[in-house]
Amino acid sequence: MLFRSIALSLALLIGVGVIIPLATNTIEAGSHKTKTYKGKKNYRKYSRQWWRAYHARQRRRKAMQAHRRMMRLHQLRMAKAAEQAADSKVAKTPAGRPAVEQTAVLPSGAPAPQGWKKGTSSTSELQFSVDNGNASAAISIVGPAMGETVSSGRNRSVGGVPTSSLRREVINRMIRENGWVVNDFQKEVGDRQVYVVVAQSQATGGRVQSRMFYFTEVDGRIYSVAMNSNPDAAARLAEESEKVIYSLGARPRPTQQAAIKE
């Protein structure tokens, strides 16, 4: 009995010793699947493909650096512009007191109506902020007069320029600014014939704004006075605009004159 147990134990040990090497060899001889990583290609170093990939990486790196520099420059410019705007808004005298706000002046040299503040102007247009920014006005010179003003008949004109051309100019502007022309007519302001174009435009939020355009001839030039306001204040601001037109007949100061549009 003892010899039988010893014989069975030896047989088991020999069997296990034979099976394990066979299983190991079978596993090692099997097919192995290696992971592949997309985007990473194995090129021979300094080969043509390797140099192409190297130069592509360099181009991407330089483009990223240029983009970062551009964004940084843009941020610096925006910060500088904001700082300049703040400095101009809160201008200080040497004594540390706020500077007195300058009175808005019309091209004739007369003071602008009450509530009109000087806005951003250019060589071809004087802009004003009206009613604390709730409305705006602009005075510009459309061009030189071509002849006499005609207020009746089919050939109506302002300074020799047909009113149809002036109306077309307003229509084109309204097309650009999401607006439309409502009416046009001629009237007399003081001793001057004035051509008026009434229009409307849609502001932010769907609110409708009143637009008034006045054209008149003064000293051989055709002036334009444009008003943009809420419909509730349109009548009152129209009266102020007519006062501005009436003042244009005064002798203009060269330093305040708007230049002719080229």
Side-chain angles (χ1 to χ4, degrees):
M1 190 69 179
L2 179 61
F3 292 106
R4 185 181 294 178
S5 300
I6 294 173
L8 289 174
S9 299
L10 291 174
L12 289 174
L13 290 174
I14 294 171
V16 172
V18 172
I19 292 172
I20 291 177
L22 290 175
T24 303
N25 293 334
T26 303
I27 293 172
E28 292 178 353
S31 60
H32 296 278
K33 293 183 179 180
T34 58
K35 293 183 179 180
T36 58
Y37 298 93
K38 295 181 179 180
K40 184 176 181 181
K41 298 181 180 180
N42 296 324
Y43 297 128
R44 185 169 57 86
K45 196 172 183 180
Y46 303 130
S47 64
R48 181 177 299 177
Q49 293 84 353
W50 186 89
W51 281 113
R52 287 178 181 174
Y54 171 78
H55 290 307
R57 290 195 302 271
Q58 293 298 317
R59 287 194 297 269
R60 288 194 297 268
R61 184 176 61 84
K62 291 180 180 179
M64 183 62 68
Q65 291 176 350
H67 178 71
R68 290 175 180 174
R69 288 195 299 269
M70 182 183 66
M71 292 298 295
R72 179 58 179 166
L73 180 60
H74 179 70
Q75 292 174 354
L76 292 174
R77 289 177 177 175
M78 292 294 292
K80 185 176 181 180
E83 184 179 355
Q84 291 177 351
D87 292 341
S88 60
K89 186 176 181 180
V90 190
K92 299 291 183 179
T93 60
R97 292 171 297 180
V100 179
E101 185 178 357
Q102 296 182 355
T103 304
V105 181
L106 299 176
S108 60
Q114 186 177 4
W116 288 39
K117 297 180 180 179
K118 187 176 181 181
T120 304
S121 302
S122 62
T123 57
S124 59
E125 186 177 57
L126 294 178
Q127 296 182 3
F128 300 89
S129 176
V130 184
D131 283 352
N132 296 322
N134 295 322
S136 62
I139 303 175
S140 61
I141 297 178
V142 178
M146 301 296 181
E148 297 181 356
T149 297
V150 179
S151 59
S152 61
R154 298 181 59 184
N155 298 323
R156 295 186 302 169
S157 64
V158 176
V161 177
T163 56
S164 58
S165 299
L166 301 175
R167 188 174 189 272
R168 171 55 57 182
E169 182 177 343
V170 175
I171 291 175
N172 292 336
R173 179 172 178 176
M174 289 297 96
I175 291 175
R176 295 192 302 268
E177 300 178 7
N178 193 24
W180 56 92
V181 171
V182 177
N183 191 16
D184 67 312
F185 55 90
Q186 279 188 296
K187 65 180 301 185
E188 188 171 340
V189 178
D191 56 350
R192 299 186 179 280
Q193 291 294 328
V194 180
Y195 176 60
V196 184
V197 180
V198 183
Q200 292 179 340
S201 64
Q202 191 170 8
T204 306
R207 181 169 51 87
V208 176
Q209 290 184 321
S210 175
R211 310 291 294 270
M212 301 288 291
F213 298 88
Y214 300 86
F215 299 93
T216 188
E217 184 269 330
V218 178
D219 295 334
R221 295 177 178 178
I222 300 177
Y223 280 82
S224 169
V225 178
M227 177 65 68
N228 182 9
S229 65
N230 296 326
D232 298 339
R236 175 174 57 84
L237 296 180
E239 295 180 359
E240 295 182 0
S241 299
E242 292 181 3
K243 293 179 181 178
V244 172
I245 293 172
Y246 183 79
S247 71
L248 293 176
R251 182 179 178 181
R253 297 182 181 179
T255 56
Q256 297 292 337
Q257 259 186 335
I260 297 178
K261 293 183 179 178
E262 298 294 340

PDB file of all heavy atoms in Angstrom, residues 219-251:
ATOM      1  N   ASP A 219     -24.368 129.027 -48.730  1.00  0.00           N
ATOM      2  CA  ASP A 219     -23.090 129.547 -49.231  1.00  0.00           C
ATOM      3  C   ASP A 219     -22.448 128.609 -50.251  1.00  0.00           C
ATOM      4  O   ASP A 219     -21.242 128.325 -50.206  1.00  0.00           O
ATOM      5  CB  ASP A 219     -22.123 129.799 -48.074  1.00  0.00           C
ATOM      6  CG  ASP A 219     -22.616 130.901 -47.150  1.00  0.00           C
ATOM      7  OD1 ASP A 219     -23.375 131.775 -47.622  1.00  0.00           O
ATOM      8  OD2 ASP A 219     -22.252 130.879 -45.956  1.00  0.00           O
ATOM      9  N   GLY A 220     -23.244 128.114 -51.189  1.00  0.00           N
ATOM     10  CA  GLY A 220     -22.702 127.287 -52.262  1.00  0.00           C
ATOM     11  C   GLY A 220     -22.426 125.848 -51.875  1.00  0.00           C
ATOM     12  O   GLY A 220     -21.806 125.112 -52.645  1.00  0.00           O
ATOM     13  N   ARG A 221     -22.873 125.427 -50.702  1.00  0.00           N
ATOM     14  CA  ARG A 221     -22.695 124.048 -50.264  1.00  0.00           C
ATOM     15  C   ARG A 221     -24.025 123.463 -49.795  1.00  0.00           C
ATOM     16  O   ARG A 221     -24.861 124.185 -49.262  1.00  0.00           O
ATOM     17  CB  ARG A 221     -21.676 123.954 -49.120  1.00  0.00           C
ATOM     18  CG  ARG A 221     -20.270 124.339 -49.520  1.00  0.00           C
ATOM     19  CD  ARG A 221     -19.354 124.275 -48.323  1.00  0.00           C
ATOM     20  NE  ARG A 221     -17.983 124.583 -48.683  1.00  0.00           N
ATOM     21  CZ  ARG A 221     -16.973 124.639 -47.824  1.00  0.00           C
ATOM     22  NH1 ARG A 221     -17.204 124.407 -46.534  1.00  0.00           N
ATOM     23  NH2 ARG A 221     -15.749 124.917 -48.225  1.00  0.00           N
ATOM     24  N   ILE A 222     -24.191 122.187 -49.999  1.00  0.00           N
ATOM     25  CA  ILE A 222     -25.403 121.495 -49.569  1.00  0.00           C
ATOM     26  C   ILE A 222     -25.102 120.797 -48.258  1.00  0.00           C
ATOM     27  O   ILE A 222     -24.261 119.891 -48.195  1.00  0.00           O
ATOM     28  CB  ILE A 222     -25.871 120.483 -50.624  1.00  0.00           C
ATOM     29  CG1 ILE A 222     -26.177 121.207 -51.940  1.00  0.00           C
ATOM     30  CG2 ILE A 222     -27.104 119.719 -50.133  1.00  0.00           C
ATOM     31  CD1 ILE A 222     -26.575 120.279 -53.067  1.00  0.00           C
ATOM     32  N   TYR A 223     -25.802 121.230 -47.208  1.00  0.00           N
ATOM     33  CA  TYR A 223     -25.631 120.663 -45.879  1.00  0.00           C
ATOM     34  C   TYR A 223     -26.688 119.593 -45.628  1.00  0.00           C
ATOM     35  O   TYR A 223     -27.818 119.673 -46.125  1.00  0.00           O
ATOM     36  CB  TYR A 223     -25.747 121.749 -44.807  1.00  0.00           C
ATOM     37  CG  TYR A 223     -24.507 122.577 -44.618  1.00  0.00           C
ATOM     38  CD1 TYR A 223     -24.231 123.647 -45.454  1.00  0.00           C
ATOM     39  CD2 TYR A 223     -23.599 122.290 -43.604  1.00  0.00           C
ATOM     40  CE1 TYR A 223     -23.092 124.420 -45.291  1.00  0.00           C
ATOM     41  CE2 TYR A 223     -22.455 123.060 -43.423  1.00  0.00           C
ATOM     42  CZ  TYR A 223     -22.208 124.115 -44.270  1.00  0.00           C
ATOM     43  OH  TYR A 223     -21.075 124.876 -44.110  1.00  0.00           O
ATOM     44  N   SER A 224     -26.293 118.617 -44.825  1.00  0.00           N
ATOM     45  CA  SER A 224     -27.218 117.576 -44.388  1.00  0.00           C
ATOM     46  C   SER A 224     -27.219 117.544 -42.866  1.00  0.00           C
ATOM     47  O   SER A 224     -26.162 117.513 -42.235  1.00  0.00           O
ATOM     48  CB  SER A 224     -26.803 116.202 -44.936  1.00  0.00           C
ATOM     49  OG  SER A 224     -27.542 115.165 -44.315  1.00  0.00           O
ATOM     50  N   VAL A 225     -28.430 117.560 -42.280  1.00  0.00           N
ATOM     51  CA  VAL A 225     -28.607 117.415 -40.841  1.00  0.00           C
ATOM     52  C   VAL A 225     -29.441 116.166 -40.623  1.00  0.00           C
ATOM     53  O   VAL A 225     -30.601 116.102 -41.052  1.00  0.00           O
ATOM     54  CB  VAL A 225     -29.282 118.644 -40.210  1.00  0.00           C
ATOM     55  CG1 VAL A 225     -29.486 118.440 -38.711  1.00  0.00           C
ATOM     56  CG2 VAL A 225     -28.459 119.896 -40.470  1.00  0.00           C
ATOM     57  N   ALA A 226     -28.867 115.163 -39.986  1.00  0.00           N
ATOM     58  CA  ALA A 226     -29.545 113.883 -39.754  1.00  0.00           C
ATOM     59  C   ALA A 226     -29.821 113.717 -38.271  1.00  0.00           C
ATOM     60  O   ALA A 226     -28.948 113.968 -37.437  1.00  0.00           O
ATOM     61  CB  ALA A 226     -28.689 112.721 -40.261  1.00  0.00           C
ATOM     62  N   MET A 227     -31.046 113.296 -37.950  1.00  0.00           N
ATOM     63  CA  MET A 227     -31.459 113.115 -36.561  1.00  0.00           C
ATOM     64  C   MET A 227     -31.965 111.690 -36.367  1.00  0.00           C
ATOM     65  O   MET A 227     -32.736 111.173 -37.183  1.00  0.00           O
ATOM     66  CB  MET A 227     -32.553 114.129 -36.195  1.00  0.00           C
ATOM     67  CG  MET A 227     -33.103 113.981 -34.795  1.00  0.00           C
ATOM     68  SD  MET A 227     -31.877 114.310 -33.506  1.00  0.00           S
ATOM     69  CE  MET A 227     -31.640 116.076 -33.763  1.00  0.00           C
ATOM     70  N   ASN A 228     -31.538 111.063 -35.286  1.00  0.00           N
ATOM     71  CA  ASN A 228     -31.948 109.707 -34.931  1.00  0.00           C
ATOM     72  C   ASN A 228     -32.464 109.734 -33.503  1.00  0.00           C
ATOM     73  O   ASN A 228     -31.714 110.078 -32.581  1.00  0.00           O
ATOM     74  CB  ASN A 228     -30.767 108.735 -35.075  1.00  0.00           C
ATOM     75  CG  ASN A 228     -31.151 107.307 -34.752  1.00  0.00           C
ATOM     76  OD1 ASN A 228     -32.322 106.998 -34.580  1.00  0.00           O
ATOM     77  ND2 ASN A 228     -30.169 106.439 -34.674  1.00  0.00           N
ATOM     78  N   SER A 229     -33.741 109.379 -33.287  1.00  0.00           N
ATOM     79  CA  SER A 229     -34.323 109.499 -31.958  1.00  0.00           C
ATOM     80  C   SER A 229     -35.475 108.528 -31.795  1.00  0.00           C
ATOM     81  O   SER A 229     -35.895 107.853 -32.746  1.00  0.00           O
ATOM     82  CB  SER A 229     -34.821 110.930 -31.719  1.00  0.00           C
ATOM     83  OG  SER A 229     -35.893 111.222 -32.609  1.00  0.00           O
ATOM     84  N   ASN A 230     -36.013 108.474 -30.579  1.00  0.00           N
ATOM     85  CA  ASN A 230     -37.222 107.705 -30.319  1.00  0.00           C
ATOM     86  C   ASN A 230     -38.429 108.428 -30.912  1.00  0.00           C
ATOM     87  O   ASN A 230     -38.447 109.661 -30.985  1.00  0.00           O
ATOM     88  CB  ASN A 230     -37.424 107.513 -28.811  1.00  0.00           C
ATOM     89  CG  ASN A 230     -36.310 106.699 -28.180  1.00  0.00           C
ATOM     90  OD1 ASN A 230     -35.774 105.792 -28.805  1.00  0.00           O
ATOM     91  ND2 ASN A 230     -35.967 107.029 -26.945  1.00  0.00           N
ATOM     92  N   PRO A 231     -39.451 107.703 -31.306  1.00  0.00           N
ATOM     93  CA  PRO A 231     -40.622 108.377 -31.898  1.00  0.00           C
ATOM     94  C   PRO A 231     -41.254 109.399 -30.967  1.00  0.00           C
ATOM     95  O   PRO A 231     -41.802 110.408 -31.430  1.00  0.00           O
ATOM     96  CB  PRO A 231     -41.578 107.209 -32.192  1.00  0.00           C
ATOM     97  CG  PRO A 231     -40.686 106.013 -32.342  1.00  0.00           C
ATOM     98  CD  PRO A 231     -39.560 106.227 -31.377  1.00  0.00           C
ATOM     99  N   ASP A 232     -41.201 109.179 -29.646  1.00  0.00           N
ATOM    100  CA  ASP A 232     -41.829 110.116 -28.711  1.00  0.00           C
ATOM    101  C   ASP A 232     -41.156 111.488 -28.730  1.00  0.00           C
ATOM    102  O   ASP A 232     -41.812 112.506 -28.495  1.00  0.00           O
ATOM    103  CB  ASP A 232     -41.781 109.548 -27.288  1.00  0.00           C
ATOM    104  CG  ASP A 232     -42.563 108.243 -27.161  1.00  0.00           C
ATOM    105  OD1 ASP A 232     -43.442 108.015 -28.020  1.00  0.00           O
ATOM    106  OD2 ASP A 232     -42.280 107.470 -26.235  1.00  0.00           O
ATOM    107  N   ALA A 233     -39.847 111.513 -28.981  1.00  0.00           N
ATOM    108  CA  ALA A 233     -39.107 112.782 -28.960  1.00  0.00           C
ATOM    109  C   ALA A 233     -38.865 113.333 -30.352  1.00  0.00           C
ATOM    110  O   ALA A 233     -38.153 114.323 -30.499  1.00  0.00           O
ATOM    111  CB  ALA A 233     -37.779 112.593 -28.236  1.00  0.00           C
ATOM    112  N   ALA A 234     -39.425 112.715 -31.381  1.00  0.00           N
ATOM    113  CA  ALA A 234     -39.129 113.118 -32.760  1.00  0.00           C
ATOM    114  C   ALA A 234     -39.577 114.550 -33.043  1.00  0.00           C
ATOM    115  O   ALA A 234     -38.855 115.335 -33.672  1.00  0.00           O
ATOM    116  CB  ALA A 234     -39.790 112.144 -33.735  1.00  0.00           C
ATOM    117  N   ALA A 235     -40.795 114.921 -32.594  1.00  0.00           N
ATOM    118  CA  ALA A 235     -41.309 116.265 -32.882  1.00  0.00           C
ATOM    119  C   ALA A 235     -40.449 117.341 -32.230  1.00  0.00           C
ATOM    120  O   ALA A 235     -40.115 118.355 -32.855  1.00  0.00           O
ATOM    121  CB  ALA A 235     -42.754 116.371 -32.417  1.00  0.00           C
ATOM    122  N   ARG A 236     -40.088 117.139 -30.973  1.00  0.00           N
ATOM    123  CA  ARG A 236     -39.278 118.145 -30.269  1.00  0.00           C
ATOM    124  C   ARG A 236     -37.896 118.275 -30.890  1.00  0.00           C
ATOM    125  O   ARG A 236     -37.387 119.382 -31.088  1.00  0.00           O
ATOM    126  CB  ARG A 236     -39.154 117.756 -28.797  1.00  0.00           C
ATOM    127  CG  ARG A 236     -38.239 118.665 -27.992  1.00  0.00           C
ATOM    128  CD  ARG A 236     -38.266 118.311 -26.525  1.00  0.00           C
ATOM    129  NE  ARG A 236     -37.889 116.923 -26.302  1.00  0.00           N
ATOM    130  CZ  ARG A 236     -36.624 116.499 -26.205  1.00  0.00           C
ATOM    131  NH1 ARG A 236     -35.619 117.367 -26.321  1.00  0.00           N
ATOM    132  NH2 ARG A 236     -36.361 115.232 -25.994  1.00  0.00           N
ATOM    133  N   LEU A 237     -37.273 117.146 -31.226  1.00  0.00           N
ATOM    134  CA  LEU A 237     -35.941 117.199 -31.817  1.00  0.00           C
ATOM    135  C   LEU A 237     -35.985 117.724 -33.245  1.00  0.00           C
ATOM    136  O   LEU A 237     -34.988 118.276 -33.725  1.00  0.00           O
ATOM    137  CB  LEU A 237     -35.308 115.813 -31.769  1.00  0.00           C
ATOM    138  CG  LEU A 237     -35.059 115.271 -30.358  1.00  0.00           C
ATOM    139  CD1 LEU A 237     -34.435 113.885 -30.414  1.00  0.00           C
ATOM    140  CD2 LEU A 237     -34.145 116.211 -29.571  1.00  0.00           C
ATOM    141  N   ALA A 238     -37.116 117.563 -33.927  1.00  0.00           N
ATOM    142  CA  ALA A 238     -37.241 118.137 -35.264  1.00  0.00           C
ATOM    143  C   ALA A 238     -37.190 119.667 -35.200  1.00  0.00           C
ATOM    144  O   ALA A 238     -36.584 120.322 -36.057  1.00  0.00           O
ATOM    145  CB  ALA A 238     -38.535 117.663 -35.917  1.00  0.00           C
ATOM    146  N   GLU A 239     -37.814 120.243 -34.177  1.00  0.00           N
ATOM    147  CA  GLU A 239     -37.743 121.694 -34.008  1.00  0.00           C
ATOM    148  C   GLU A 239     -36.313 122.147 -33.742  1.00  0.00           C
ATOM    149  O   GLU A 239     -35.869 123.184 -34.274  1.00  0.00           O
ATOM    150  CB  GLU A 239     -38.657 122.119 -32.853  1.00  0.00           C
ATOM    151  CG  GLU A 239     -40.136 121.876 -33.108  1.00  0.00           C
ATOM    152  CD  GLU A 239     -40.994 122.304 -31.936  1.00  0.00           C
ATOM    153  OE1 GLU A 239     -40.412 122.769 -30.923  1.00  0.00           O
ATOM    154  OE2 GLU A 239     -42.226 122.181 -32.025  1.00  0.00           O
ATOM    155  N   GLU A 240     -35.579 121.388 -32.928  1.00  0.00           N
ATOM    156  CA  GLU A 240     -34.188 121.741 -32.671  1.00  0.00           C
ATOM    157  C   GLU A 240     -33.347 121.620 -33.937  1.00  0.00           C
ATOM    158  O   GLU A 240     -32.447 122.436 -34.174  1.00  0.00           O
ATOM    159  CB  GLU A 240     -33.629 120.842 -31.565  1.00  0.00           C
ATOM    160  CG  GLU A 240     -34.298 121.054 -30.213  1.00  0.00           C
ATOM    161  CD  GLU A 240     -33.684 120.184 -29.134  1.00  0.00           C
ATOM    162  OE1 GLU A 240     -32.740 119.424 -29.447  1.00  0.00           O
ATOM    163  OE2 GLU A 240     -34.138 120.261 -27.977  1.00  0.00           O
ATOM    164  N   SER A 241     -33.633 120.613 -34.754  1.00  0.00           N
ATOM    165  CA  SER A 241     -32.894 120.459 -36.011  1.00  0.00           C
ATOM    166  C   SER A 241     -33.148 121.635 -36.937  1.00  0.00           C
ATOM    167  O   SER A 241     -32.230 122.108 -37.634  1.00  0.00           O
ATOM    168  CB  SER A 241     -33.304 119.152 -36.694  1.00  0.00           C
ATOM    169  OG  SER A 241     -33.001 118.038 -35.878  1.00  0.00           O
ATOM    170  N   GLU A 242     -34.379 122.134 -36.959  1.00  0.00           N
ATOM    171  CA  GLU A 242     -34.686 123.292 -37.803  1.00  0.00           C
ATOM    172  C   GLU A 242     -33.968 124.541 -37.299  1.00  0.00           C
ATOM    173  O   GLU A 242     -33.555 125.399 -38.096  1.00  0.00           O
ATOM    174  CB  GLU A 242     -36.196 123.510 -37.843  1.00  0.00           C
ATOM    175  CG  GLU A 242     -36.937 122.383 -38.578  1.00  0.00           C
ATOM    176  CD  GLU A 242     -38.421 122.613 -38.635  1.00  0.00           C
ATOM    177  OE1 GLU A 242     -38.875 123.686 -38.155  1.00  0.00           O
ATOM    178  OE2 GLU A 242     -39.146 121.744 -39.162  1.00  0.00           O
ATOM    179  N   LYS A 243     -33.787 124.635 -35.981  1.00  0.00           N
ATOM    180  CA  LYS A 243     -33.008 125.753 -35.449  1.00  0.00           C
ATOM    181  C   LYS A 243     -31.552 125.658 -35.889  1.00  0.00           C
ATOM    182  O   LYS A 243     -30.910 126.677 -36.180  1.00  0.00           O
ATOM    183  CB  LYS A 243     -33.095 125.771 -33.924  1.00  0.00           C
ATOM    184  CG  LYS A 243     -34.479 126.095 -33.385  1.00  0.00           C
ATOM    185  CD  LYS A 243     -34.487 126.062 -31.857  1.00  0.00           C
ATOM    186  CE  LYS A 243     -35.875 126.353 -31.303  1.00  0.00           C
ATOM    187  NZ  LYS A 243     -35.911 126.283 -29.818  1.00  0.00           N
ATOM    188  N   VAL A 244     -31.027 124.444 -35.938  1.00  0.00           N
ATOM    189  CA  VAL A 244     -29.653 124.249 -36.403  1.00  0.00           C
ATOM    190  C   VAL A 244     -29.540 124.661 -37.863  1.00  0.00           C
ATOM    191  O   VAL A 244     -28.577 125.324 -38.266  1.00  0.00           O
ATOM    192  CB  VAL A 244     -29.237 122.778 -36.211  1.00  0.00           C
ATOM    193  CG1 VAL A 244     -27.894 122.516 -36.877  1.00  0.00           C
ATOM    194  CG2 VAL A 244     -29.173 122.430 -34.733  1.00  0.00           C
ATOM    195  N   ILE A 245     -30.521 124.279 -38.680  1.00  0.00           N
ATOM    196  CA  ILE A 245     -30.502 124.651 -40.097  1.00  0.00           C
ATOM    197  C   ILE A 245     -30.571 126.169 -40.251  1.00  0.00           C
ATOM    198  O   ILE A 245     -29.869 126.753 -41.088  1.00  0.00           O
ATOM    199  CB  ILE A 245     -31.678 123.973 -40.827  1.00  0.00           C
ATOM    200  CG1 ILE A 245     -31.462 122.455 -40.858  1.00  0.00           C
ATOM    201  CG2 ILE A 245     -31.834 124.511 -42.233  1.00  0.00           C
ATOM    202  CD1 ILE A 245     -32.640 121.682 -41.376  1.00  0.00           C
ATOM    203  N   TYR A 246     -31.389 126.796 -39.428  1.00  0.00           N
ATOM    204  CA  TYR A 246     -31.508 128.255 -39.498  1.00  0.00           C
ATOM    205  C   TYR A 246     -30.183 128.924 -39.139  1.00  0.00           C
ATOM    206  O   TYR A 246     -29.806 129.939 -39.724  1.00  0.00           O
ATOM    207  CB  TYR A 246     -32.617 128.724 -38.558  1.00  0.00           C
ATOM    208  CG  TYR A 246     -32.862 130.207 -38.602  1.00  0.00           C
ATOM    209  CD1 TYR A 246     -33.611 130.783 -39.622  1.00  0.00           C
ATOM    210  CD2 TYR A 246     -32.349 131.041 -37.610  1.00  0.00           C
ATOM    211  CE1 TYR A 246     -33.836 132.148 -39.668  1.00  0.00           C
ATOM    212  CE2 TYR A 246     -32.565 132.409 -37.636  1.00  0.00           C
ATOM    213  CZ  TYR A 246     -33.304 132.958 -38.672  1.00  0.00           C
ATOM    214  OH  TYR A 246     -33.524 134.316 -38.717  1.00  0.00           O
ATOM    215  N   SER A 247     -29.428 128.341 -38.194  1.00  0.00           N
ATOM    216  CA  SER A 247     -28.156 128.934 -37.762  1.00  0.00           C
ATOM    217  C   SER A 247     -27.056 128.753 -38.798  1.00  0.00           C
ATOM    218  O   SER A 247     -26.032 129.446 -38.734  1.00  0.00           O
ATOM    219  CB  SER A 247     -27.708 128.317 -36.436  1.00  0.00           C
ATOM    220  OG  SER A 247     -27.293 126.973 -36.629  1.00  0.00           O
ATOM    221  N   LEU A 248     -27.248 127.807 -39.733  1.00  0.00           N
ATOM    222  CA  LEU A 248     -26.205 127.587 -40.733  1.00  0.00           C
ATOM    223  C   LEU A 248     -26.029 128.783 -41.666  1.00  0.00           C
ATOM    224  O   LEU A 248     -25.009 128.888 -42.348  1.00  0.00           O
ATOM    225  CB  LEU A 248     -26.530 126.339 -41.572  1.00  0.00           C
ATOM    226  CG  LEU A 248     -26.481 124.999 -40.830  1.00  0.00           C
ATOM    227  CD1 LEU A 248     -26.913 123.863 -41.744  1.00  0.00           C
ATOM    228  CD2 LEU A 248     -25.083 124.742 -40.294  1.00  0.00           C
ATOM    229  N   GLY A 249     -27.020 129.673 -41.695  1.00  0.00           N
ATOM    230  CA  GLY A 249     -26.895 130.853 -42.545  1.00  0.00           C
ATOM    231  C   GLY A 249     -25.932 131.871 -42.007  1.00  0.00           C
ATOM    232  O   GLY A 249     -25.532 132.794 -42.720  1.00  0.00           O
ATOM    233  N   ALA A 250     -25.533 131.725 -40.729  1.00  0.00           N
ATOM    234  CA  ALA A 250     -24.563 132.663 -40.149  1.00  0.00           C
ATOM    235  C   ALA A 250     -23.198 132.428 -40.767  1.00  0.00           C
ATOM    236  O   ALA A 250     -22.930 131.397 -41.367  1.00  0.00           O
ATOM    237  CB  ALA A 250     -24.510 132.489 -38.630  1.00  0.00           C
ATOM    238  N   ARG A 251     -22.316 133.365 -40.577  1.00  0.00           N
ATOM    239  CA  ARG A 251     -20.967 133.264 -41.136  1.00  0.00           C
ATOM    240  C   ARG A 251     -20.223 132.116 -40.454  1.00  0.00           C
ATOM    241  O   ARG A 251     -20.050 132.125 -39.242  1.00  0.00           O
ATOM    242  CB  ARG A 251     -20.212 134.568 -40.933  1.00  0.00           C
ATOM    243  CG  ARG A 251     -18.815 134.553 -41.536  1.00  0.00           C
ATOM    244  CD  ARG A 251     -18.135 135.882 -41.320  1.00  0.00           C
ATOM    245  NE  ARG A 251     -16.776 135.851 -41.850  1.00  0.00           N
ATOM    246  CZ  ARG A 251     -15.939 136.885 -41.775  1.00  0.00           C
ATOM    247  NH1 ARG A 251     -16.336 138.014 -41.200  1.00  0.00           N
ATOM    248  NH2 ARG A 251     -14.729 136.790 -42.276  1.00  0.00           N
TER     249      ARG A 251
END
